[in-house]
Amino acid sequence: MADAGAGSLHGGDAALPCPPEEQELSQRLRRLYPAVNQEETPLPRSWSPKDKYNYIGLSQGNLRVHYKGHGKNHKDAASVRATHPIPAACGIYYFEVKIVSKGRDGYMGIGLSAQGVNMNRLPGWDKHSYGYHGDDGHSFCSSGTGQPYGPTFTTGDVIGCCVNLINNTCFYTKNGHSLGKFLFLPSQSNLYPTVGLQTPGEIVDANFGQQPFVFDIEDYMREWRAKIQSTIKRFPIGDRLGEWQAMLQNMVSSYLVHHGYCSTATAFARVTDTTIQEEQTSIKNRQRIQKLVLAGRVGEAIEATQQLYPGLLEHNPNLLFMLKCRQFVEMVNGTDSEVRCFSARSPRSQDSYPGSPSLSPRHGSSNSHIHSTGADSPTCSNGVMSTKSKQSHSKYPTLSSSSSSSSSSSPSSVNYSESNSTDSTKSQQHSSTSNQETSDSEMEMEAEHYPNGVLENSSTRIMNGTYKHEEILQTDESSMEDSCPQRQLCGGNHAATERMIQFGRELQMLSEQLCREYGKNTMHKKMLQDAFSLLAYSDPWNCPVGQQLDPIQREPVCAALNSAILESQNLPKQPPLMLALGQASECLRLMARVGLGSCSFARVDDYLH
């Protein structure tokens, strides 16, 4: 079963909640078989009403099996298989059957069979079929002749069947105790849990994980997991220890650099005598941008990226659109500076700002173009007062401030001129290295108070490619009285809400422009629909698409932007350490899937302490 909520950002009906017993089953199966992808290879959960003989009846959610034939002789035997075969990725699989009634003679068999095996037989009698029978305690392995195995079983007993795909063995349990004799199975996949009955009155109930098992299968799994881990730890390294250590140190160093841990990376490089491939100024620039995105200040992150890495977003329209959609979500949340510059003002001064074209930058260009009423009149760029006005040339529609601005920002006169074709990589490197190097303490974001995610006191700002801490407009004293304000759309500011709606219109224009240039993009359409769907609810934070407002949703956007910056500088867009871990996990998954059972108990996470 797919995890609840997966892919639920669509604006359609919310998925119906699973019953508690179904949730308990799913949790138990995930705990027992973590290596199994249940979307690709579902686990058995019940008996199949389509894969049984006519003399078999099913009830109670297809978990209870009763015999309804004549029961005169062995020709009246009947079996049923589970809905799905045992996935190879289980490593070890287990199920139990409780004998509700032994019926007339107790001719019952519990075991395994492959698809296509005759269901007019008890398990174990035919090829690719295995069973433990209750009337004589014999085990049958692809033969009509059984071998002594264990005690007989009758009404009230619980019989379990365990398949070990690590060493291709099978054993049975009775009332929580292993019968201790291992039967070797041929190395084949696609075995189904199977039960067979032969005389009237025989009734059994299956437990595929719906209830805790009588036998402690988890303890048995722990023993095998310890064996596998011990084998891995004993792997001989030999003379390559130094070579491997140097490789791992370089991988750790590049990981620290990738995520912008500048001080840690420098200290690690000094201790291990490794070389950092990226300059510190560039690392700090990336770290600043990442912190802005993770703080919900996506507009500022876009502006910083365009100033520090000109042309990057112009050449990555999919990334630009994703950032813009995230910026719209943060405007709804009240955290983006496009709406913060309204929310930070007092009620007395807000009336003079709605509709002013100077309240918002154009993020569609490499250099912010800010309208002003005069040559030296101050303008507000992401909530920051500035006296400079720069020209802008952008390939895509610029997301301007409002519809009442000058004609150059109206939809009919959007500038689509081509950007300069200079080498973007060289200009990015020059921009990254030309900034004055700052200390790590200057780079750290200030500890700030966010009611509803909106900054109250001070903020880190970008001026000419560098960051400065400066006071924004004074917060109204009345807003400080409520220490825990209720979350409101765009921070509860009417002018900010109007700005968000205008931004949404411009975002729609950008989507149409990209569609004309590159064709239809289903991902763009979905992102736009998901973001706009937030406005359909009075409380966006508690609605079917409200998870978009969760700060954790900023992380994939941050990672995508960081990778794009690194790639533009001819650096790996993913740290080698993460690639190695991902490759190791994928190899283990694939090997477990094709039947190498030990791989199911070799999890990479177990070694990341």
Side-chain angles (χ1 to χ4, degrees), residues 314-384:
E314 283 286 327
H315 294 95
N316 290 271
N318 291 333
L319 175 61
L320 174 63
F321 189 78
M322 178 174 64
L323 287 167
K324 291 296 184 182
C325 287
R326 186 66 213 176
Q327 184 180 3
F328 181 86
V329 172
E330 296 299 346
M331 292 174 76
V332 174
N333 211 13
T335 52
D336 190 78
S337 49
E338 283 281 342
V339 296
R340 266 213 331 266
C341 69
F342 292 93
S343 302
R345 305 182 188 283
S346 66
R348 291 189 300 273
S349 62
Q350 284 176 0
D351 293 338
S352 62
Y353 290 108
S356 170
S358 64
L359 287 175
S360 172
R362 293 172 171 269
H363 285 151
S365 62
S366 298
N367 295 315
S368 298
H369 176 64
I370 306 171
H371 289 281
S372 63
T373 56
D376 296 320
S377 61
T379 59
C380 176
S381 172
N382 286 331
V384 179

Side-chain angles (χ1 to χ4, degrees), residues 24 43 156 173 182 189 202 242 290 343-344 363 394 424 453 488 598:
E24 182 181 355
L43 286 157
T173 67
F182 295 90
S189 57
E202 295 172 352
Q290 290 180 78
S343 302
H363 285 151
S394 173
S424 61
Q488 293 179 310
S598 57

Side-chain angles (χ1 to χ4, degrees), residues 99 102 105-110 122 131-140 150-155 157 159 174 196 202:
I99 313 303
K102 80 178 187 69
D105 299 326
Y107 288 169
M108 299 171 288
I110 295 163
L122 291 183
Y132 171 37
H133 292 197
D135 60 308
D136 55 11
H138 285 190
S139 170
F140 292 78
T152 61
F153 51 85
T154 186
T155 302
D157 288 332
I159 305 302
K174 180 179 178 182
E202 295 172 352

Side-chain angles (χ1 to χ4, degrees), residues 397-428:
T398 55
L399 301 192
S400 58
S401 59
S402 71
S403 58
S404 63
S405 61
S406 63
S407 61
S408 62
S409 65
S410 65
S412 61
S413 59
V414 175
N415 183 5
Y416 293 109
S417 62
E418 293 293 329
S419 60
N420 196 315
S421 60
T422 55
D423 187 310
S424 61
T425 302
K426 292 183 180 179
S427 63
Q428 290 157 15

Side-chain angles (χ1 to χ4, degrees), residues 41 73 92 97 106 128 142-143 182 211 226 260 269-270 288 303-304 326 344 396 398 417 442 510 568:
T41 54
N73 53 48
I92 292 174
V97 173
H128 304 312
S142 301
S143 172
F182 295 90
Q211 303 293 331
R270 185 167 55 248
R288 291 165 183 152
E303 185 179 5
R326 186 66 213 176
Y396 303 110
T398 55
S417 62
E442 292 173 340
L510 175 60
S568 71

Side-chain angles (χ1 to χ4, degrees), residues 258-295:
H258 176 91
H259 290 288
Y261 303 131
C262 191
S263 297
T264 306
T266 302
F268 184 82
R270 185 167 55 248
V271 172
T272 59
D273 196 25
T274 55
T275 303
I276 297 179
Q277 300 297 324
E278 187 180 4
E279 294 187 10
Q280 282 197 10
T281 305
S282 177
I283 300 173
K284 292 177 180 179
N285 285 337
R286 286 192 298 104
Q287 187 186 50
R288 291 165 183 152
I289 292 172
Q290 290 180 78
K291 287 184 176 180
L292 285 171
V293 175
L294 294 176

